[in-house]
Amino acid sequence: MFSVLRLRAAAIAAFTLLSGLPGLAHADGTPVDWAKRLKDDVQAFHTHVVNSHPGFHDPKNPAFRAQVEASFDQAMARARTAHNQGGWWWTLKGFAASFNDGHVEIDAVEKDFALPARWPGFLTRFEGDDQIVAMIEGKGADIPSLGAKLVSCDGTDAKTLAQSRVGAFEGLWFLEAQRINSGPQLFMDLGNPWIDPLKSCRFETETGTVDIDLDWKAIDHSDLRDRGHKLMGLIKPPIGLRKLGNGAFWLSMSTFTSDIKRPEFEQLKKLVADAKAVQNDMRTAPFVVLDVRGNGGGNSEWSEKLGKILWGEDWLKAHPVEGGTIADWRASKGNRAYLEKAQRELEKAGKDASTLAFLKRITDGMAKAEADGNPYWREEESVPPKPAQAHNEAAGTAIYALTDFRCASSCLTAVDTWKALGAIQVGRPTFADSFYMEGRRAELPGGKALLHFPMKVYRNRARGSDQPEMPVHLFSGNMTDDAALEKWIASLKSGNPAGN
């Protein structure tokens, strides 16, 4: 399925946007009226959801409207007292987070301003359910020791603290992937006026419990961003195919981009061509690794092409992913105009006819639904008949899908596809997506923020809403350590797993 917009994990955007927020004044030097800008942006956000989000008329999600209205009321209340860019930004972030859907996001337009950043000289990250001190600078009574476990701050337990101060502005806090993504933000002061600065925290250490008074210090935004990325274990391996010394193959795909203007698109084309050239060798290799670490989605056609190369076309046809063949597209003028514009741009770029036909079918269907007064146009994909006989061309080869917390959107579709064909998922749990898919974007009236939201809802997808893909074999080591991962996966094939 062609994907109009890839999903990006929310916390990656949050760290990046330390250097992506608009300035304090208009071009003519007059100060920004943040309360008015926020009010206008929140109202537009709400209007886009009411008019174009598939959830607003979804009979299978009766709580959706009440949730939207409650979040809208909270955002409008905050707009009445917002007086700076932090109030504007974090109100919009909180509104988006309330959907608990990775396809509802806020992005900044400009890339030349940063919110003031502070930190107390240390950061924590999630290790399982615990928040552990994983980075410190200097020593002293106001700096906990590395490895100390956070117990509470200002009388609030660590679990509630993270949920209310970070999860409430990022969403999807029940996912391990989101806690890995966003956990380091707990001890980052990024100008959010809706939470009070922490004053004192309690930690468990090897020698007992200690109470520490926090000393917040200014820090360069790019420095803090980089520190956060390091704790997250963020990695985007170069796209390509390589043969290991033991005869196994490792295919790295850190994106499934559908943007033909991006260099990664040509890199993916080369990867597919290279895989085709060594097809027979891969089908008889000790194992093959399909590495999607860092992959936030794009176009699921890439994964289908690799499935055909590895397992064979008949096997691919005989083992489709269950469900996901019925979707209701929200019929609205905004959604239709967005897809029609995408169609025109793709025509200019010479995109393949099948994708253009797909888009036209949707827009024509939306137009008819609008004329008939229906909120949805139903897309029902025909399921091709399964071949009478299908041979697994890679029957003797172990094929592993290596995932991390960044795998989302079409990356999840890829894992669904490969697992249906026989792949074994290894690594760490993925991100997750709801039944609301196929994102579009709209610029909010202030001209400084982009809203991303979905246009369709799946009706029969087998994987549940906001359900991550769970590995058969969990890797507990450093997911950025290629050598350790290669050794570990080789040990899985041998039946003698190496320590990790």
Side-chain angles (χ1 to χ4, degrees):
M1 177 67 72
F2 174 75
S3 178
V4 179
L5 178 71
R6 75 181 181 90
L7 173 68
R8 291 167 308 146
I12 302 294
F15 283 129
T16 302
L17 288 169
L18 288 171
S19 58
L21 292 172
L24 294 167
H26 295 290
D28 61 4
T30 58
V32 174
D33 185 342
W34 291 105
K36 182 180 186 307
R37 173 174 290 178
L38 179 55
K39 179 182 177 182
D40 291 346
D41 284 352
V42 167
Q43 287 179 329
F45 187 148
H46 179 260
T47 299
H48 280 301
V49 171
V50 172
N51 290 344
S52 296
H53 193 292
F56 206 75
H57 292 281
D58 189 354
K60 294 189 176 183
N61 190 0
F64 185 89
R65 287 194 184 192
Q67 170 266 311
V68 170
E69 297 307 320
S71 299
F72 172 65
D73 289 344
Q74 181 189 54
M76 289 298 287
R78 285 174 169 170
R80 288 192 286 271
T81 59
H83 63 276
N84 59 26
Q85 77 274 28
W88 166 80
W89 175 249
W90 289 107
T91 297
L92 292 176
K93 284 281 288 180
F95 195 178
S98 70
F99 288 78
N100 272 318
D101 184 347
H103 280 107
V104 178
E105 289 189 281
I106 288 291
D107 251 340
V109 173
E110 296 180 353
K111 304 299 178 185
D112 61 353
F113 188 82
L115 283 172
R118 300 192 308 162
W119 76 318
F122 66 90
L123 296 175
T124 58
R125 69 177 171 203
F126 273 87
E127 295 183 6
D129 293 330
D130 296 332
Q131 297 169 70
I132 304 299
V133 177
M135 179 177 292
I136 63 174
E137 186 173 88
K139 295 181 179 180
D142 57 354
I143 302 293
S145 58
L146 281 174
K149 174 184 171 182
L150 179 65
V151 177
S152 63
C153 291
D154 300 335
T156 301
D157 66 274
K159 181 179 180 180
T160 303
L161 200 70
Q163 168 65 52
S164 62
R165 299 179 67 87
V166 183
F169 297 92
E170 296 297 342
L172 296 167
W173 202 242
F174 51 87
L175 294 176
E176 175 190 284
Q178 184 68 309
R179 295 193 296 273
I180 293 172
N181 262 329
S182 306
Q185 290 186 53
L186 181 59
F187 289 99
M188 295 182 182
D189 180 351
L190 304 176
N192 187 344
W194 314 122
I195 55 176
D196 295 326
L198 297 174
K199 297 178 181 178
S200 179
C201 297
R202 177 167 295 177
F203 296 88
E204 283 184 6
T205 71
E206 293 181 351
T207 58
T209 301
V210 296
D211 291 319
I212 291 179
D213 293 330
L214 305 187
D215 179 17
W216 292 91
K217 313 172 187 69
I219 184 173
D220 181 76
H221 64 83
S222 60
D223 185 4
L224 189 59
R225 176 198 61 206
D226 293 344
R227 290 172 186 266
H229 282 168
K230 184 176 181 180
L231 290 191
M232 291 159 56
L234 181 63
I235 183 173
K236 291 185 75 68
I239 296 169
L241 179 152
R242 57 194 174 92
K243 187 174 183 179
L244 306 183
N246 55 11
F249 288 86
W250 195 288
L251 287 69
S252 295
M253 297 153 282
S254 51
T255 180
F256 285 136
T257 184
S258 57
D259 186 348
I260 62 175
K261 297 178 182 179
R262 289 180 57 184
E264 292 90 342
F265 187 88
E266 291 300 320
Q267 293 165 11
L268 285 167
K269 285 178 62 176
K270 183 178 185 302
L271 170 68
V272 171
D274 290 346
K276 181 66 176 176
V278 295
Q279 180 181 51
N280 293 333
D281 291 338
M282 286 199 299
R283 288 174 172 178
T284 57
F287 62 87
V288 174
V289 177
L290 301 172
D291 179 3
V292 289
R293 287 176 296 163
N295 190 319
N299 188 340
S300 57
E301 290 178 1
W302 297 112
S303 57
E304 293 174 2
K305 290 177 180 178
L306 289 170
K308 187 184 300 185
I309 290 170
L310 281 166
W311 285 275
E313 186 170 1
D314 286 347
W315 193 259
L316 181 68
K317 291 178 179 179
H319 296 83
V321 176
E322 296 298 324
T325 57
I326 300 175
D328 286 335
W329 288 80
R330 178 69 190 276
S332 75
K333 291 181 179 178
N335 287 347
R336 182 158 52 88
Y338 183 82
L339 291 175
E340 287 172 345
K341 181 180 179 182
Q343 187 175 350
R344 291 191 297 271
E345 291 176 349
L346 291 171
E347 283 176 342
K348 290 180 182 178
K351 187 66 178 177
D352 62 277
S354 63
T355 299
L356 293 171
F358 166 71
L359 287 173
K360 188 176 188 306
R361 186 162 63 95
I362 296 170
T363 53
D364 287 350
M366 282 184 175
K368 184 179 187 307
E370 290 175 70
D372 295 340
N374 294 327
Y376 299 111
W377 170 72
R378 173 152 291 191
E379 174 195 8
E380 295 189 61
E381 293 185 11
S382 59
V383 179
K386 296 180 180 180
Q389 292 184 334
H391 176 65
N392 181 354
E393 300 292 347
T397 298
I399 301 177
Y400 298 105
L402 175 61
T403 62
D404 69 356
F405 67 95
R406 284 283 284 134
C407 183
S409 196
S410 291
C411 179
L412 297 172
T413 304
V415 177
D416 282 337
T417 298
W418 294 335
K419 287 168 74 170
L421 294 171
I424 302 166
Q425 185 186 351
V426 299
R428 298 302 305 176
T430 65
F431 211 75
D433 53 22
S434 72
F435 291 145
Y436 300 124
M437 301 290 288
E438 296 297 345
R440 61 167 275 207
R441 61 180 178 268
E443 186 172 307
L444 297 181
K448 304 300 182 181
L450 290 172
L451 169 65
H452 304 270
F453 62 94
M455 295 182 287
K456 80 175 185 184
V457 53
Y458 273 127
R459 292 304 185 196
N460 66 333
R461 192 181 74 185
R463 178 165 44 82
S465 181
D466 288 333
Q467 177 182 327
E469 300 275 11
M470 299 299 295
V472 174
H473 301 287
L474 281 167
F475 183 69
S476 60
N478 182 353
M479 286 292 292
T480 69
D481 189 337
D482 287 349
L485 282 166
E486 289 178 20
K487 180 180 178 182
W488 177 68
I489 292 176
S491 74
L492 296 177
K493 174 61 178 175
S494 71
N496 184 27
N500 61 82

